[in-house]
Amino acid sequence: MANAYLIIREGAKWADVVRLVPGESVTIGRGPTNTVVVKDERCSRSHAEVFLAGGKWQLRDLDSRNGTIVAGQRLSGDYELHPGDIIQIGNSHLAFVNDLAQAFPDTSTLLKSSRAVDGELSDLGLPAGDDESVLESFEPTMITHRKGQSRFLGAAEVSDVAEASPKVNRAAAKLCRLAFELAKSTDAFSLAQVALSGLFEGTQVDAGAILLRKRDESGVRRSEELEIVASRSDSEHKYHRVSPFLAATVMREGQAVMARNVMDDSQLGNRDSRGEILATSVICAPVRLEGEILGLIHLYSTDPNRSTDPEDLEFTLAVADTVGVALENLNQRQELAENLNQATAECVQLREQLGVQSEIVGSSEVMMRVTQQIARAAPSRATVLIRGESGVGKELVARAVHFSSPRKKGPFVCLNAAALSETLLESELFGHEKGAFTGATERKIGKFEQAHKGTLMLDEIGEMSPTIQAKFLRVLEGHPFERVGGSEQIKVDVRVIAATNRDLEKDVAEGKFRRDLYFRLHVLEIIVPGLRKRPEDIPELAAHFLRKFNEETGRKLKGYSPRALEELLRYRWPGNVREMKNVIERAVVLARGDYVDHDDLVLSRLTTAGDTEMGLERHEPKSGYQPASLADVEKAHILRTLAATAWNKSKTATILGIERSTLDRKIRRYGLEADRRG
């Protein structure tokens, strides 16, 4: 018997056609190593086999648990198969025929198990029922080869075969080159186009497509429905979509198949207007990744002189597996890009929050003036000197300058010069080499290098030692520097913002601060007033900190009692905004009612810096209090403040918390110019 076939039916579906070859036995079972794999719980791992003996095809049950049934009888020994016999294994059926042309003329004679067959024809793209005209025109797909793994993806196997097969060697080279091209793809469409070009070059096909599962709501390819990502046809006919039978077989089994006489979605199959079959041979391979099937590659030839062979099947399966990996890499790149875009957006939002208009709290006239100074200083490359008492928010102003400047995408590095000794400060600023001093176990990059293309803020600049001041000045003037213990010349592009609460002019006069460094730093100056000099901002700051600590602690305090707000306004705030922040945080934690009351506010009795330097109490006669009018007190206070600032009217007005024009009027009213000349 030259021609013999097993037509496999699972449930209500015709699943596959296997050609029986003399000299080769066909094993049937649930195990993946069988020729015919039956996915049925009632099927044993090695259930039965079909073999040729004495010129007749025989069926033998392999001691299966549930047995093998033919014509309603359970086998007890070898059984000689006859055309039309139905082998029943669990819920699956295999029809034995020797002529495919007569395979489907009459379902009642073919399926002797008398099971209903309505539905299986529609699964093949045909209408259900027993319409003989349709059945007579139906020529089933004949799968001639199957392949689960390609040897092209096994380096050892390729090297063994390549010496004896130049075609394998060329195919492996093409696959390697194609893998590099696939890795460069930026989207699924371009990836599919590259894969098809490589497949058309490496196989005997002239039409094909790559189909992938549609994405579900979460964006994962899990849908049972396939969509064509890219298709191509080099023949005179347009591409014909893969038949549901082949697609279902490949997606279910996860193996690549090569077939003949393939039907498409239409009732007449791949036929032209004269009724001739268009596809002479077809390859269909699953696109797999770690056991999951993402889609399939469908290729076919319409030229009778160019028929696919098993090597083409090997190559297509290797490309399909490579496409699966490339798709995963593409998804990961896209996911990383999305995460990067999200992180960038969040970073932009955070930087906006650090900007002038979002983080500085206060709408008083003096703070509006500070904001304007920041806006003017930000675009410049010039060094900025920020002055103000401790706790007023000098670092906040420095951040606002940086994030409002063209350097906002660069780093912002902050260092407190008063917190470190001279040796450690030099190491922190300029870095050190391994072994430069005891404890230097590795190279350290200094703050200047860290702030390259960005901004370096040095707080408490007045606390620097003269040695560090000299080296710091050279870097400010654009000279390269060396790490401690190193000889490499390092040059950086850094904008410096210095901050201090000291009277640098006095330190320069006393020789504590270099005069040339003072002038190098004193290019743009921003004076941040103390909190007591802008009482209008106290309610706004108090509300801001209340919201902040309500969110952090989970409290739901509604605000401040009138007496608590009065206490906040009357208090002198020697620690400025930093002190207020700590006072409000403590009050939010300790408050017992719905509002912060005056009992919840823990305020110190420390004097402010201004009171310490220019307080009236230290100028009072030791004999006791001397009554004086408010005008006399104001006159004396303004005069002493002018004297302390060397008659710098702008600085005096800032200290007094009044406008420069107001100060000029008071000077004229009290005749203070005459007192100065006297």
Side-chain angles (χ1 to χ4, degrees):
M1 187 178 298
N3 296 323
Y5 307 91
L6 285 178
I7 303 177
I8 305 165
R9 180 174 181 266
E10 293 182 357
K13 296 181 179 181
W14 291 107
D16 209 342
V17 176
V18 177
R19 182 180 181 181
L20 301 179
V21 180
E24 297 181 6
S25 65
V26 174
T27 59
I28 306 170
R30 198 175 73 250
T33 57
N34 291 286
T35 309
V36 178
V37 179
V38 178
K39 295 183 178 180
D40 191 320
E41 292 182 355
R42 299 182 61 191
C43 178
S44 300
R45 292 186 62 83
S46 296
H47 197 100
E49 67 174 335
V50 177
F51 58 95
L52 188 66
K56 303 291 184 181
W57 287 101
Q58 306 287 329
L59 173 65
R60 176 184 296 168
D61 184 83
L62 300 177
D63 297 325
S64 64
R65 181 191 304 175
N66 297 304
T68 304
I69 298 173
V70 179
Q73 299 295 322
R74 180 166 178 163
L75 297 185
S76 58
D78 291 351
Y79 175 83
E80 181 182 332
L81 291 170
H82 300 87
D85 278 340
I86 297 297
I87 306 169
Q88 182 176 348
I89 297 176
N91 293 323
S92 299
H93 299 76
L94 296 84
F96 176 79
V97 298
N98 60 6
D99 189 354
L100 285 177
Q102 301 297 322
F104 296 92
D106 187 347
T107 57
S108 62
T109 59
L110 175 63
L111 300 178
K112 296 180 181 179
S113 63
S114 71
R115 291 178 59 88
V117 297
D118 287 348
E120 67 265 24
L121 298 178
S122 62
D123 292 329
L124 295 176
L126 296 174
D130 295 334
D131 189 330
E132 293 187 2
S133 64
V134 174
L135 289 169
E136 288 175 358
S137 66
F138 172 59
E139 185 173 3
T141 297
M142 183 178 68
I143 296 177
T144 59
H145 294 80
R146 290 173 171 271
K147 196 71 178 177
Q149 297 294 332
S150 173
R151 69 175 183 269
F152 288 119
L153 297 182
E157 296 183 24
V158 172
S159 60
D160 293 340
V161 181
E163 296 181 0
S165 176
K167 183 176 181 180
V168 173
N169 201 359
R170 290 193 300 271
K174 290 177 182 177
L175 182 63
C176 182
R177 186 172 65 252
L178 180 59
F180 280 105
E181 294 299 322
L182 290 174
K184 299 177 183 178
S185 302
T186 57
D187 55 70
F189 175 74
S190 60
L191 186 149
Q193 292 278 41
V194 171
L196 285 176
S197 297
L199 287 164
F200 276 49
E201 179 185 349
T203 61
Q204 300 295 313
V205 299
D206 54 23
I210 293 182
L211 301 89
L212 298 177
R213 293 181 186 269
K214 285 188 175 181
R215 298 183 184 273
D216 57 16
E217 296 179 354
S218 62
V220 181
R221 297 189 184 275
R222 295 197 184 109
S223 173
E224 294 298 324
E225 187 177 356
L226 295 173
E227 62 178 350
I228 298 176
V229 179
S231 64
R232 173 177 167 179
S233 176
D234 291 349
S235 68
E236 60 182 356
H237 306 285
K238 68 177 183 179
Y239 165 75
H240 285 267
R241 188 182 177 99
V242 62
S243 70
F245 165 65
L246 268 184
T249 301
V250 173
M251 296 295 288
R252 181 182 64 253
E253 302 293 341
Q255 292 183 323
V257 300
M258 187 166 66
R260 300 281 188 270
N261 302 331
V262 179
M263 300 289 289
D264 72 349
D265 284 344
S266 68
Q267 293 184 3
L268 295 179
N270 283 341
R271 301 173 185 267
D272 61 13
S273 59
R274 296 171 295 178
E276 297 178 355
I277 294 178
L278 295 178
T280 61
S281 59
V282 174
I283 291 176
C284 198
V287 177
R288 304 174 296 193
L289 180 68
E290 298 180 354
E292 182 180 357
I293 300 178
L294 306 177
L296 56 85
I297 293 178
H298 174 223
L299 304 171
Y300 61 86
S301 173
T302 61
D303 185 354
N305 299 321
R306 297 183 63 195
S307 181
T308 58
D309 57 27
E311 296 296 336
D312 293 334
L313 181 66
E314 290 268 7
F315 184 75
T316 303
L317 181 57
V319 172
D321 285 339
T322 307
V323 167
V325 176
L327 280 172
E328 177 64 14
N329 292 338
L330 179 61
N331 291 337
Q332 290 181 355
R333 289 204 306 270
Q334 291 175 344
E335 184 177 350
L336 287 173
E338 292 173 359
N339 292 339
L340 179 60
N341 290 336
Q342 182 179 357
T344 302
E346 292 175 355
C347 185
V348 170
Q349 292 177 359
L350 289 173
R351 283 174 171 169
E352 288 176 352
Q353 292 174 6
L354 292 171
V356 176
Q357 300 300 326
S358 58
E359 190 168 305
I360 294 180
V361 178
S363 56
S364 63
E365 186 177 348
V366 290
M367 285 310 299
M368 289 297 99
R369 190 158 56 244
V370 170
T371 302
Q372 293 169 3
Q373 291 174 339
I374 293 172
R376 288 195 295 267
S380 171
R381 294 172 53 91
T383 305
V384 179
L385 179 61
I386 303 174
R387 310 179 75 160
E389 300 172 9
S390 178
V392 295
K394 296 187 289 294
E395 182 178 341
L396 188 67
V397 173
R399 287 182 179 274
V401 171
H402 171 74
F403 289 108
S404 300
S405 73
R407 295 173 175 263
K408 61 184 178 182
K409 294 184 179 180
F412 177 81
V413 181
C414 185
L415 178 64
N416 191 322
L420 301 170
S421 64
E422 178 179 334
T423 303
L424 289 178
L425 180 58
E426 183 178 12
S427 173
E428 284 293 322
L429 278 174
F430 309 110
H432 64 252
E433 297 290 347
K434 181 178 179 180
F437 51 83
T438 303
T441 57
E442 59 184 13
R443 171 185 286 183
K444 177 181 177 62
I445 301 300
K447 300 298 184 184
F448 264 109
E449 288 183 77
Q450 295 177 25
H452 183 58
K453 298 294 183 180
T455 302
L456 172 64
M457 181 207 173
L458 279 174
D459 200 3
E460 306 298 345
I461 190 74
E463 305 296 333
M464 273 188 179
S465 67
T467 303
I468 303 298
Q469 289 180 31
K471 193 170 182 179
F472 180 59
L473 177 61
R474 280 189 55 81
V475 179
L476 283 182
E477 291 176 343
H479 296 286
F481 63 92
E482 300 172 357
R483 299 189 190 98
V484 178
S487 58
E488 179 185 356
Q489 295 288 309
I490 301 170
K491 190 174 180 63
V492 293
D493 176 15
V494 175
R495 181 184 190 178
V496 172
I497 298 178
T500 183
N501 62 356
R502 295 176 61 95
D503 187 345
L504 290 184
E505 291 84 358
K506 181 179 178 182
D507 288 345
V508 169
E510 295 177 356
K512 297 179 181 179
F513 198 82
R514 292 180 63 101
R515 181 181 295 270
D516 48 2
L517 178 57
Y518 168 78
F519 289 118
R520 186 66 182 80
L521 293 173
H522 198 260
V523 179
L524 298 174
E525 184 179 63
I526 299 177
I527 299 177
V528 186
L531 185 55
R532 66 184 178 280
K533 298 172 184 175
R534 48 187 180 108
E536 312 95 290
D537 294 334
I538 291 177
E540 190 174 348
L541 282 165
H544 168 76
F545 288 129
L546 182 63
R547 287 193 301 271
K548 172 182 173 64
F549 295 119
N550 265 342
E551 294 176 0
E552 292 183 4
T553 62
R555 299 294 300 273
K556 297 182 180 179
L557 298 177
K558 299 178 181 179
Y560 300 89
S561 67
R563 188 169 177 184
L565 193 56
E566 182 181 351
E567 287 282 346
L568 293 175
L569 289 169
R570 187 170 54 190
Y571 186 57
R572 296 281 290 170
W573 299 110
N576 292 295
V577 180
R578 182 186 295 121
E579 181 186 8
M580 172 177 272
K581 177 182 177 182
N582 296 332
V583 167
I584 302 303
E585 182 177 12
R586 186 188 302 113
V588 170
V589 173
L590 300 179
R592 290 160 291 185
D594 293 335
Y595 292 84
V596 175
D597 203 355
H598 71 284
D599 294 335
D600 302 320
L601 301 174
V602 181
L603 304 175
S604 72
R605 295 185 179 181
L606 296 174
T607 58
T608 64
D611 292 339
T612 301
E613 296 174 5
M614 297 174 289
L616 295 178
E617 55 272 20
R618 71 172 183 168
H619 294 280
E620 293 174 358
K622 295 183 180 180
S623 59
Y625 173 71
Q626 297 294 326
S629 66
L630 287 175
D632 290 339
V633 172
E634 184 179 46
K635 175 182 177 181
H637 182 60
I638 293 174
L639 184 58
R640 285 194 292 269
T641 305
L642 286 168
T645 61
W647 277 79
N648 186 323
K649 294 182 181 180
S650 296
K651 186 180 297 186
T652 301
T654 301
I655 294 174
L656 295 175
I658 60 178
E659 293 290 337
R660 168 70 181 269
S661 58
T662 303
L663 177 62
D664 288 334
R665 288 197 302 271
K666 291 182 180 294
I667 289 174
R668 289 193 298 271
R669 180 192 306 169
Y670 295 129
L672 298 181
E673 288 286 356
D675 293 340
R676 180 186 183 187
R677 291 192 298 271

